[in-house]
Amino acid sequence: MKLIHPPSSADIIAASDLIRPYIETTPVLHSESLDQLSGSRLFFKCENFQKAGAFKTRGATHALLCLEEKERSLGVVTHSSGNHAQALARAARIFGIPAYIVMPQNAPKVKVEAVKAYGGKITFCKPTLADREETADNIVRQTGATLVHPYNNYDIIAGQATVCHEILQQGVKPDFVLCPVGGGGLLSGTLLSAHYFSPHTKTIACEPESANDTLQSIEQGQWMPVKNPDTIADGLRTSLGALTWPIIKQYVHQVVTVTDREIIYAMHRIWERMKIIIEPSAAVPVAVALKRLPALKDKTVAVILSGGNTNLDQLPWQ
Amino acid sequence: MKLIHPPSSADIIAASDLIRPYIETTPVLHSESLDQLSGSRLFFKCENFQKAGAFKTRGATHALLCLEEKERSLGVVTHSSGNHAQALARAARIFGIPAYIVMPQNAPKVKVEAVKAYGGKITFCKPTLADREETADNIVRQTGATLVHPYNNYDIIAGQATVCHEILQQGVKPDFVLCPVGGGGLLSGTLLSAHYFSPHTKTIACEPESANDTLQSIEQGQWMPVKNPDTIADGLRTSLGALTWPIIKQYVHQVVTVTDREIIYAMHRIWERMKIIIEPSAAVPVAVALKRLPALKDKTVAVILSGGNTNLDQLPWQ
């Protein structure tokens, strides 16, 4: 059953139970070294260890589970080419249905290969948003498949909300949650889970300075999308959507932005000290933790490491 | 109390209890993707997450704990410049005693910085083994500090034996253990733990083809050290020692060698699929697992990921 309103606490608990057999319950890691660098007690939620390498697996799997069986059997479509595409292709394979992935002709080979590895059916298009949307619409018409938007979809939001729900279930009692924001699926889900299950916890949206539509929107009090932002955090170049923005506006405690230089430094520190691989987007909340904001001093802070899919042949600090 | 004989089962259990407050109980990870690639059920013991980034912390900490208090207060010396040096420096700092580390003038900056970060007192020497040993001997004479050999020391062997003991405690019931071999401290400890605590488990020594002194020694039935071997697995360039060789000769099931190319491929696969960072030496047993040896097909195989200290600015596949 598809959600037609922002997920309730019961919806998030239900999503969590529904997707559990198909996903990893990812560990929460702690590092003395990062505690010293940040001045906070950091608890890292490792969605880089999630199936298909990112939290997107939660939302995509949940969205598929919410489709009627007949509808689901016709397959799913998306024109995202990043972690959502891999997650959707993986989820579709589990249920034995086709996943049609629309990708621009110039998509990096590593992303094309990753989607292929999960059995996604790729259709290439011109590298414009208009052509991507048109190509996806054509596929919907021809196949009857369902378009699954990467974040502007309440089933997706409920799935992403299970990250924060799981952190709390794992016994962390955070004063703050640091969450990256791109389209806002993970952030809006996190805000709802924190609101329902740990009302004293404040959620900070962590955003690249050059893709700061969330900051601008909050400051202006209205939705302010940005066009073609340039940041190394490739998962966070999208702007908030019509469904995520109202939730974020209502519940977010603060938006903090970081530069690409800070993101790269944070990513390197996590690799070096914790021996785990995170992608640039996941380093954004780490970069916020390393700013040593006075409000976070000595506080218990959950940091969502959103994913680990990065090109190992081109490291940003080289 | 220092061990003057190969560790007994009681010695290993005692070592495990002694060092526990000072080390990480590292996780055992599993990966469907690596299972598919190998054809075995692999359980990865993540000593890359160990304090100071490698299993060496176990042996070094245990060796310090075995010194009489008066002896310990004068400090410790080593002329290893790798993970053992970092581990010894860290352990010495915990006990508030000096760690004198002799390093060749041409040691990589990253290693020098790592030892400094743990408070080690570095003495540089000429890049010959003779000069390293002489420099270390001079320090022993001048300071009364104790030389702690990286592997030719039963207290070290008992400490490294806790890795395999811990794997078994964590509920893994391996048919095989894949263990890297350089000087043989980890391998001899692993052989003893497997022998005492899981007699049906067979331990395979995993060795770089170009540093194959263990294979040669086993084949010839006598200790055959190799000089200046050239392999990317920098932790495995040393030859077996007088104390490790007899244990290895008695208990090892098989020695399997792998090329540097296989090591690099295995390292890349672990980074890419498991999102964790391992060093080249730790990739050696992974490379053996990926050889798809008929004997390992569908078997439960523990793979010791020995460490995660590698230069993030120079990746071997680039």
Side-chain angles (χ1 to χ4, degrees):
Chain A
M1 210 177 62
K2 281 185 274 189
L3 291 172
I4 54 170
H5 51 71
S8 66
S9 61
D11 293 331
I12 294 171
I13 292 168
S16 191
D17 292 341
L18 262 182
I19 66 176
R20 189 165 300 123
Y22 307 103
I23 68 154
E24 291 284 337
T25 299
T26 56
V28 172
L29 298 184
H30 181 252
S31 159
E32 282 170 30
S33 171
L34 270 293
D35 275 4
Q36 280 170 19
L37 287 173
S38 67
S40 308
R41 283 191 305 282
L42 303 180
F43 292 87
F44 296 96
K45 179 61 172 171
C46 290
E47 289 293 299
N48 54 328
F49 294 156
Q50 188 49 266
K51 295 288 183 192
F55 74 93
K56 295 276 187 182
T57 288
R58 296 173 183 264
T61 308
H62 186 240
L64 284 207
L65 285 161
C66 292
L67 295 178
E68 304 286 343
E69 213 178 312
K70 204 170 163 185
E71 198 179 7
R72 188 161 67 209
S73 68
L74 298 174
V76 284
V77 189
T78 189
H79 53 75
S80 149
S81 61
N83 289 336
H84 175 65
Q86 293 182 48
L88 198 66
R90 175 184 174 273
R93 192 172 61 179
I94 290 173
F95 297 107
I97 60 166
Y100 304 98
I101 313 293
V102 178
M103 295 181 104
Q105 290 146 351
N106 60 355
K109 201 178 153 226
V110 60
K111 291 195 173 181
V112 176
E113 292 303 322
V115 167
K116 273 190 191 164
Y118 287 111
K121 295 172 186 294
I122 299 175
T123 306
F124 289 102
C125 67
K126 288 184 197 141
T128 65
L129 184 59
D131 202 58
R132 281 164 79 156
E133 289 181 347
E134 199 190 313
T135 308
D137 286 348
N138 282 337
I139 293 173
V140 168
R141 268 194 302 276
Q142 287 160 21
T143 63
T146 303
L147 188 72
V148 181
H149 193 278
Y151 50 90
N152 229 1
N153 173 320
Y154 288 129
D155 301 316
I156 292 282
I157 293 171
Q160 321 305 30
T162 65
V163 176
C164 180
H165 179 252
E166 199 170 281
I167 294 172
L168 299 167
Q169 294 284 107
Q170 287 169 307
V172 182
K173 298 186 194 315
D175 300 307
F176 291 88
V177 178
L178 302 183
C179 178
V181 59
L186 180 62
L187 177 60
S188 55
T190 299
L191 288 164
L192 292 174
S193 274
H195 171 69
Y196 297 138
F197 307 115
S198 181
H200 86 283
T201 298
K202 299 183 174 91
T203 299
I204 296 179
C206 304
E207 194 170 45
E209 194 174 278
S210 46
N212 68 348
D213 63 293
T214 308
L215 181 67
Q216 287 190 47
S217 300
I218 290 292
E219 284 182 352
Q220 307 290 325
Q222 59 176 324
W223 185 39
M224 305 276 288
V226 289
K227 268 203 176 168
N228 305 320
D230 180 28
T231 166
I232 188 163
D234 54 327
L236 308 182
R237 288 177 192 147
T238 41
S239 292
L240 300 180
L243 302 192
T244 56
W245 159 238
I247 299 170
I248 292 167
K249 185 182 175 186
Q250 184 173 358
Y251 295 113
V252 78
H253 174 67
Q254 195 184 347
V255 185
V256 178
T257 62
V258 288
T259 64
D260 273 19
R261 200 175 159 165
E262 289 174 300
I263 296 169
I264 293 167
Y265 176 83
M267 181 173 165
H268 190 273
R269 280 296 161 281
I270 293 285
W271 285 43
E272 180 189 69
R273 304 293 171 92
M274 295 183 67
K275 314 296 182 192
I276 64 175
I277 290 175
I278 61 168
E279 60 187 73
S281 301
V284 171
V286 181
V288 171
L290 295 182
K291 283 178 100 75
R292 303 183 74 98
L293 301 174
L296 301 186
K297 187 165 188 306
D298 297 330
K299 298 294 182 188
T300 298
V301 179
V303 180
I304 301 179
L305 299 179
S306 49
N309 294 328
T310 194
N311 185 349
L312 295 175
D313 296 324
Q314 261 189 321
L315 301 181
W317 49 78
Q318 287 187 305
Chain B
M1 209 177 63
K2 280 185 274 189
L3 292 172
I4 53 171
H5 51 71
S8 66
S9 61
D11 293 330
I12 294 171
I13 291 167
S16 191
D17 292 341
L18 260 180
I19 65 176
R20 190 164 300 122
Y22 308 103
I23 67 154
E24 291 284 338
T25 299
T26 55
V28 172
L29 298 184
H30 181 252
S31 158
E32 282 170 31
S33 170
L34 269 293
D35 276 5
Q36 280 170 19
L37 287 173
S38 68
S40 308
R41 283 190 305 280
L42 303 180
F43 292 88
F44 295 97
K45 178 61 172 170
C46 290
E47 288 294 299
N48 54 328
F49 295 156
Q50 189 48 267
K51 296 286 183 195
F55 74 93
K56 295 276 188 182
T57 289
R58 295 173 183 264
T61 307
H62 186 241
L64 284 207
L65 285 161
C66 291
L67 296 177
E68 303 285 343
E69 212 178 311
K70 204 168 162 187
E71 198 180 8
R72 187 162 66 208
S73 69
L74 297 174
V76 284
V77 189
T78 189
H79 52 74
S80 151
S81 61
N83 288 336
H84 175 65
Q86 293 183 48
L88 198 66
R90 174 184 175 273
R93 192 172 60 178
I94 290 173
F95 298 108
I97 61 165
Y100 304 99
I101 314 292
V102 178
M103 295 181 105
Q105 292 146 347
N106 60 355
K109 201 177 154 226
V110 60
K111 291 195 175 182
V112 176
E113 293 303 321
V115 167
K116 274 190 192 163
Y118 287 111
K121 295 173 186 295
I122 299 173
T123 306
F124 289 102
C125 68
K126 288 183 197 140
T128 65
L129 183 59
D131 201 58
R132 280 165 80 156
E133 289 182 346
E134 199 190 312
T135 309
D137 286 347
N138 282 338
I139 293 172
V140 169
R141 268 194 301 276
Q142 287 160 21
T143 63
T146 303
L147 188 71
V148 181
H149 193 278
Y151 50 88
N152 229 1
N153 174 319
Y154 288 129
D155 302 315
I156 293 282
I157 293 171
Q160 322 304 30
T162 65
V163 176
C164 180
H165 179 252
E166 200 170 279
I167 293 171
L168 299 167
Q169 294 284 107
Q170 288 169 305
V172 182
K173 299 186 193 316
D175 300 307
F176 292 88
V177 178
L178 302 184
C179 178
V181 59
L186 179 62
L187 177 59
S188 56
T190 299
L191 288 164
L192 292 174
S193 274
H195 171 68
Y196 297 138
F197 308 115
S198 182
H200 85 284
T201 299
K202 299 182 173 91
T203 299
I204 295 179
C206 304
E207 194 170 43
E209 195 174 280
S210 46
N212 68 347
D213 64 293
T214 308
L215 180 68
Q216 287 190 47
S217 301
I218 291 291
E219 284 183 352
Q220 307 289 326
Q222 58 176 324
W223 185 41
M224 305 276 289
V226 290
K227 268 204 176 168
N228 304 322
D230 180 27
T231 167
I232 188 162
D234 54 327
L236 308 182
R237 288 177 192 146
T238 41
S239 291
L240 299 180
L243 303 192
T244 56
W245 159 239
I247 299 170
I248 291 166
K249 184 182 176 185
Q250 185 172 358
Y251 295 112
V252 78
H253 173 67
Q254 194 184 348
V255 185
V256 178
T257 62
V258 288
T259 64
D260 273 18
R261 199 174 159 165
E262 290 174 299
I263 296 168
I264 293 167
Y265 175 83
M267 181 174 164
H268 190 272
R269 279 297 162 282
I270 293 286
W271 286 44
E272 179 189 69
R273 303 294 172 93
M274 295 183 68
K275 314 295 183 193
I276 65 174
I277 289 174
I278 61 168
E279 60 186 74
S281 301
V284 171
V286 181
V288 171
L290 295 182
K291 283 178 101 73
R292 302 183 73 98
L293 301 175
L296 301 187
K297 188 166 188 307
D298 297 330
K299 299 293 183 189
T300 297
V301 179
V303 179
I304 301 179
L305 299 179
S306 49
N309 294 328
T310 194
N311 185 348
L312 295 176
D313 296 325
Q314 262 189 320
L315 301 181
W317 49 77
Q318 288 187 306

